[in-house]
Amino acid sequence: MDIKEFLKSKVFIKHSLIAISSFILLIIISLQILRWYTFHGESEALPSFTGWTPEKAAAFCDENQFKLIIVDSVYVKGFLPGVIVDQSPDSGFHVKKNRTIYLTINAQEAEKIAMPNLVDLSLRQAKSTLEHRGLILGSIDYKPDMAIGIVLKQNLNGEILSPGMLIPKGSIIDLTVGSGLSDEKAPVPSLQGLSLNMANDLVSSQYLRIGLVFYDDEITFT
């Protein structure tokens, strides 16, 4: 029997059909296994865990067959100690079963940092140093002194701070700054159209300070 007759024979056609059917069946089985392994089409939208306790989040993850890992703790003012303040993936993200959810919880207290030495620095340098250390510039009290625009004291809640003292990160630091010894008067700069922060910076540069701030609720912006 030559090749042409063999290709037309019932034996060849039969075995060819069996081979093709087996190949198609193998593909279908492989796809079903892959679908089962990856939970194709089965996902859950994550809620916002912010403000939840880790126990509540763990109960949710157990119910939905997710894994849970607490990876970090930071201090966020306004949240109770131990509650969740961040998550990955974010809320609303669709996650499949057996995937891991990473959480960050709120620390018991703010991180402590060493108070930098701002005395003898210019007001601009002191402000930059505070921002770099994660501290906040509070009120500025000007005192007659020959060191114009130079920091004389650094205070926290009325207490004079020595360099190196451990204080909570994010603390508000008040400064006493020299205003000069003369009774020279300075012109009041125009503050109209400026934000409060910009106005404070401009006034401070003139060795002045803003007193009471009144907010007008009737002003609207379009």
Side-chain angles (χ1 to χ4, degrees), residues 50 70-87 103-112 169:
T50 301
I70 297 175
V71 294
D72 197 8
S73 64
V74 297
Y75 181 79
V76 180
K77 190 175 182 180
F79 285 89
L80 293 174
V83 301
I84 298 166
V85 294
D86 195 17
Q87 67 187 76
L103 302 178
T104 300
I105 63 173
N106 198 30
Q108 294 293 324
E109 60 180 11
E111 175 188 353
K112 295 293 184 67
K169 190 174 183 178

Side-chain angles (χ1 to χ4, degrees), residues 115 117-127 130 137 140-141 145 147-155 173-178:
M115 178 64 197
N117 185 15
L118 306 179
V119 176
D120 293 333
L121 295 182
S122 69
L123 181 57
R124 184 181 297 274
Q125 290 175 315
K127 183 178 179 181
L130 288 173
L137 175 62
I140 302 173
D141 181 31
D145 191 276
I148 302 176
I150 301 300
V151 176
L152 305 176
K153 296 179 183 178
Q154 50 194 27
N155 307 277
I173 308 300
D174 301 323
L175 301 178
T176 300
V177 178

Side-chain angles (χ1 to χ4, degrees), residues 45-75:
L46 290 181
S48 173
F49 293 124
T50 301
W52 289 24
T53 63
E55 292 76 16
K56 182 178 178 181
F60 174 86
C61 289
D62 287 342
E63 181 180 349
N64 292 275
Q65 300 182 39
F66 299 145
K67 298 176 183 178
L68 186 68
I69 296 179
I70 297 175
V71 294
D72 197 8
S73 64
V74 297
Y75 181 79

Side-chain angles (χ1 to χ4, degrees), residues 1-19:
M1 180 182 297
D2 60 19
I3 188 64
K4 290 183 179 180
E5 291 179 351
F6 175 74
L7 293 177
K8 294 178 181 180
S9 67
K10 293 182 178 180
V11 175
F12 174 78
I13 294 174
K14 178 181 177 181
H15 284 84
S16 296
L17 291 175
I18 293 174

